[in-house]
Amino acid sequence: MSRDSENRASSLSRPASTVSSPEGSEPKAANRSKANIRVSLACVQCRSKHIKCDATLPACNRCQQEDKPCFYAKSRRGIRDPKKRSLISDKPPAVSSGTFFSAPNSRSVVSCAHSQHDLPGGWSISPEPHASVSPKNEKEVLLDLFYSYFQPSYPCLPPKRFFIRHIDADPDSYHFLLSVINFCGSLYSTGIPSDDLREAAYSAACASLPFTVQSVQGLLLMSIAAFGEMKFEHHDGLSTRAVNMAIGLGMDRRTFAEGASDSILAESYRRTWWCLTFQDSARSLCDAAPHLPITEVNSDVDLPCEEWEYDSGIIPQPMTQSQYETQVSIGQADFSSMAYLIDICKIQTDLVLPFHDAPEEKKPEMFERADSRICDWLRRVPKWKMDLVDPDGVVDVVLYHGIAIAHVNRLRLRQHTPRNGINIRDYFPLGPAKGPDRKGQMVKGFGWNPYPTDIQAANSFCDLFRRPFPTRSLRAIFAVGALRVALAYLDACVFLGLDSPVFREALNRLVQILTAHGETWPLSRRIADDVRLVAKEYLTPRTSQSWTPGLSDPSAWAAAAAVTGTAVAVPTTLITEAPSIAPTFGFEPYQQVCQVESWAMGDSNWPALTDIYHQ
């Protein structure tokens, strides 16, 4: 940290940026609207000036009279009428790229593939764009790729058009950050090599850096990329350096953002701080390293706004943490997606992570508290937000990660403590926990689910992929959560006597999704390979309709070996006791028709599930 201290005095005296507010003549306070007042639809021009808008479509009367371009910010709470929605233009006037990008009017060169990668049972992987290099400006391609795939999961930088303005106004402050953006963008390109960009970014990140917010953002993004590339030592060092620099700058205090030159930068500073806390909370799931110093900081940074507000440049008055807690206590549930993500990460850090290290006598109470808080969080998220994809096809990637974290933490509470980390091949033989929740629901009624709670959480996680998500835009840490889900299904099939084609197919899909995600991140590719190998080693092939699933009876292995003509090695330490789920509830767990929520498929309708087990 001494190399950063050399630059601290001069950097603190220099403002981070001299760019004025997005509208040019409005003071910072004028760009904010009352957060607790639900305004009617108004165009961006009228809202930015705090004047009444008649909301005429496709252009309001005031903008027509003043001959100004009229556009409306896309809102998930906006117009529901598809006819009116089709009249709205959410494309702001073109912004010149200035001196940094040489082609102001050039178009994005990212083209989408036309083939849909569909998976059985309603799951889908969205078509992945293939980037081709344009001779106009390679930097534009990399910036487009970064904002298309990396930024949605870590939306800490200003929206692209505002970011370009800041670069043009103060290019010297952005050299390191731009080198990181170029490298991260190249990870999503098939036409631009990453090797030289990777070396340049890592070299710059390990060198002396100015004591600025841009350096903090660059270090944060590099630590995320290092984690996805399984460079865990680099990840630890870069994350710690970013946090120490942010604390040294005072980014943990709300007054730091309030001192920004415009509301866009202020929102970016708040988001940067919270993204640092996300990264610390997320990497603790795989025990990559001890907690960062950020866990010891009592921060009062305000909560970020909605993504559509951030993209439009109309930043409302930020909500404080105390205001959020007060509104939650009185039953309010209308918050930004990042506010919900911050809340579930706090539950993870404060309640879930300490559970496994707690004394045995305190675990039941801690378990109930943590699990009830997660369930309460899931209940509080509004249904319209739970849809995740709005009528225009825009995916709420931020809230997706929050919901995924909630389900993964319910799994983590129920999984055996020694089975942590990402080396599933080493710890899978240890078997599942016998912990406080190894039973299914006791009440049979409408919608009754016979599976244990961890299987229900795994199913809920997998249900997220019924939506056409752009797989590449998911965080690198997504692979660790998917590993927890795969572990739940493997336990069900191997140890709990719940083997069924539903769970095998779920494993199959998870491996395919991780493989697609692994085209960008080696961590996902490694986890996909490990899950495939564990499934191949411990799951017997389903040779006939009369075969009895489960591994509780060694004779099943012998029968499988006799049919296939191959030896099936069964470790004698895998099963210590017969599963007791079926007798408790009086149902046959191996029915020919298996149902997971809205799916009901007979064995004859399922495809051959051999690609995991026989590769």
Side-chain angles (χ1 to χ4, degrees):
M1 292 304 300
S2 59
R3 53 191 169 193
D4 297 324
S5 301
E6 298 174 0
N7 304 298
R8 180 174 181 180
S10 60
S11 300
L12 287 175
S13 62
R14 181 179 62 187
S17 176
T18 59
V19 180
S20 61
S21 64
E23 300 301 328
S25 59
E26 298 292 328
K28 179 179 71 172
N31 283 330
R32 296 173 174 173
S33 61
K34 298 294 183 181
N36 58 349
I37 299 177
R38 190 162 182 166
V39 298
S40 59
L41 181 67
C43 73
V44 171
Q45 294 281 7
C46 293
R47 291 186 66 181
S48 65
K49 297 179 180 179
H50 296 276
I51 56 180
K52 186 175 181 180
C53 179
D54 57 17
T56 302
L57 300 175
C60 73
N61 290 329
R62 185 180 296 275
C63 289
Q64 293 181 37
Q65 293 173 3
E66 297 179 1
D67 195 23
K68 291 184 176 180
C70 184
F71 64 101
Y72 294 81
K74 182 178 293 184
S75 169
R76 300 188 69 209
R77 296 183 299 178
I79 295 178
R80 297 295 180 183
D81 187 345
K83 294 182 179 179
K84 291 185 178 181
R85 194 188 311 119
S86 64
L87 296 174
I88 292 181
S89 171
D90 65 341
K91 302 298 183 183
V95 178
S96 172
S97 300
T99 57
F100 183 76
F101 297 106
S102 60
N105 298 322
S106 62
R107 298 179 180 178
S108 172
V109 296
V110 180
S111 59
C112 293
H114 295 287
S115 60
Q116 184 86 359
H117 301 285
D118 293 328
L119 301 179
W123 291 26
S124 64
I125 302 177
S126 290
E128 304 291 355
H130 299 281
S132 58
V133 182
S134 168
K136 293 181 179 179
N137 196 330
E138 184 178 283
K139 294 179 180 179
E140 283 187 335
V141 178
L142 296 173
L143 187 68
D144 284 343
L145 290 169
F146 174 85
Y147 270 91
S148 296
Y149 299 113
F150 201 102
Q151 173 81 352
S153 286
Y154 296 92
C156 60
L157 299 187
K160 185 168 68 173
R161 65 184 186 278
F162 299 114
F163 183 65
I164 292 173
R165 292 184 187 179
H166 292 300
I167 295 174
D168 291 340
D170 187 13
D172 293 339
S173 298
Y174 289 86
H175 284 308
F176 168 58
L177 181 55
L178 286 172
S179 69
V180 175
I181 290 175
N182 290 339
F183 162 56
C184 293
S186 69
L187 296 176
Y188 303 95
S189 171
T190 58
I192 302 178
S194 298
D195 294 341
D196 293 341
L197 297 173
R198 177 184 290 104
E199 182 178 356
Y202 275 106
S203 297
C206 295
S208 178
L209 293 172
F211 220 74
T212 63
V213 176
Q214 289 78 20
S215 295
V216 174
Q217 292 171 332
L219 290 169
L220 168 63
L221 300 180
M222 277 302 300
S223 69
I224 295 168
F227 187 90
E229 293 194 317
M230 301 181 64
K231 300 179 184 294
F232 296 125
E233 292 185 359
H234 288 79
H235 165 76
D236 297 338
L238 294 170
S239 297
T240 303
R241 190 179 181 192
V243 170
N244 288 332
M245 188 179 292
I247 295 174
L249 287 169
M251 294 182 68
D252 57 317
R253 315 312 304 172
R254 62 182 303 188
T255 53
F256 183 85
E258 291 174 349
S261 58
D262 65 67
S263 60
I264 301 291
L265 280 181
E267 178 70 9
S268 175
Y269 295 168
R270 287 189 288 268
R271 287 166 172 260
T272 300
W273 174 259
W274 288 118
C275 283
L276 286 169
T277 64
F278 296 159
Q279 189 64 9
D280 176 46
S281 177
R283 74 175 187 163
S284 61
L285 280 176
C286 57
D287 301 325
H291 287 301
L292 295 172
I294 202 168
T295 58
E296 303 173 0
V297 176
N298 186 18
S299 169
D300 63 352
V301 176
D302 293 335
L303 302 179
C305 63
E306 285 282 19
E307 300 309 300
W308 69 268
E309 293 172 322
Y310 192 36
D311 291 338
S312 70
I314 310 299
I315 310 298
Q317 182 71 28
M319 178 180 291
T320 66
Q321 298 181 47
S322 60
Q323 288 174 336
Y324 176 85
E325 294 172 358
T326 300
Q327 293 195 29
V328 168
S329 65
I330 62 176
Q332 296 293 327
D334 192 5
F335 307 109
S336 69
S337 296
M338 283 200 73
Y340 283 112
L341 180 57
I342 291 167
D343 195 6
I344 192 62
C345 285
K346 284 185 176 181
I347 294 173
Q348 174 179 276
T349 301
D350 297 341
L351 299 177
V352 178
L353 296 180
F355 167 74
H356 290 296
D357 296 329
E360 290 298 325
E361 62 272 13
K362 293 185 178 180
K363 280 190 174 183
E365 179 183 353
M366 295 180 66
F367 175 91
E368 293 297 334
R369 185 184 176 199
D371 196 53
S372 63
R373 284 285 300 276
I374 296 172
C375 293
D376 179 66
W377 183 92
L378 288 167
R379 177 190 58 79
R380 287 192 288 105
V381 179
K383 185 179 183 305
W384 66 269
K385 271 186 167 292
M386 280 288 194
D387 292 338
L388 295 179
V389 182
D390 71 5
D392 295 316
V394 178
V395 180
D396 192 341
V397 180
V398 171
L399 187 60
Y400 159 80
H401 287 294
I403 297 173
I405 288 172
H407 294 310
V408 168
N409 275 298
R410 295 200 78 196
L411 284 171
R412 186 178 174 87
L413 285 170
R414 292 164 171 83
Q415 290 176 341
H416 200 186
T417 303
R419 302 168 94 193
N420 288 330
I422 63 174
N423 297 316
I424 185 174
R425 296 171 64 184
D426 295 336
Y427 59 65
F428 180 75
L430 297 176
K434 302 176 183 178
D437 190 83
R438 299 305 311 165
K439 297 180 180 180
Q441 295 179 358
M442 297 296 295
V443 180
K444 297 182 180 181
F446 180 76
W448 174 70
N449 194 330
Y451 297 123
T453 305
D454 47 358
I455 297 299
Q456 298 174 39
N459 291 340
S460 298
F461 178 95
C462 293
D463 282 347
L464 295 173
F465 289 96
R466 294 173 183 263
R467 302 162 177 88
F469 272 6
T471 310
R472 280 188 168 187
S473 65
L474 299 179
R475 297 180 178 186
I477 197 71
F478 149 79
V480 179
L483 174 62
R484 296 281 118 194
V485 176
L487 182 61
Y489 285 130
L490 286 167
D491 283 344
C493 295
V494 175
F495 295 105
L496 303 180
L498 292 175
D499 197 352
S500 74
V502 171
F503 298 155
R504 289 182 175 235
E505 181 62 21
L507 280 169
N508 201 2
R509 298 166 195 157
L510 281 172
V511 169
Q512 292 182 52
I513 293 171
L514 283 166
T515 301
H517 197 244
E519 294 177 4
T520 303
W521 301 114
L523 176 62
S524 295
R525 187 165 60 250
R526 150 80 183 277
I527 290 177
D529 292 341
D530 285 352
V531 171
R532 185 184 292 111
L533 289 172
V534 169
K536 181 179 179 180
E537 180 177 359
Y538 291 100
L539 287 180
T540 57
R542 192 161 195 184
T543 57
S544 68
Q545 295 293 329
S546 60
W547 174 69
T548 302
L551 302 182
S552 57
D553 185 1
S555 61
W557 291 87
V563 172
T564 59
T566 58
V568 182
V570 187
T572 57
T573 59
L574 282 180
I575 299 299
T576 58
E577 61 182 20
S580 59
I581 292 181
T584 303
F585 301 105
F587 72 97
E588 291 297 327
Y590 313 128
Q591 305 172 46
Q592 290 297 320
V593 176
C594 305
Q595 181 160 349
V596 178
E597 295 190 4
S598 62
W599 294 338
M601 300 184 180
D603 287 355
S604 60
N605 296 328
W606 285 84
L609 308 178
T610 58
D611 36 330
I612 286 184
Y613 318 110
H614 298 286
Q615 290 183 1

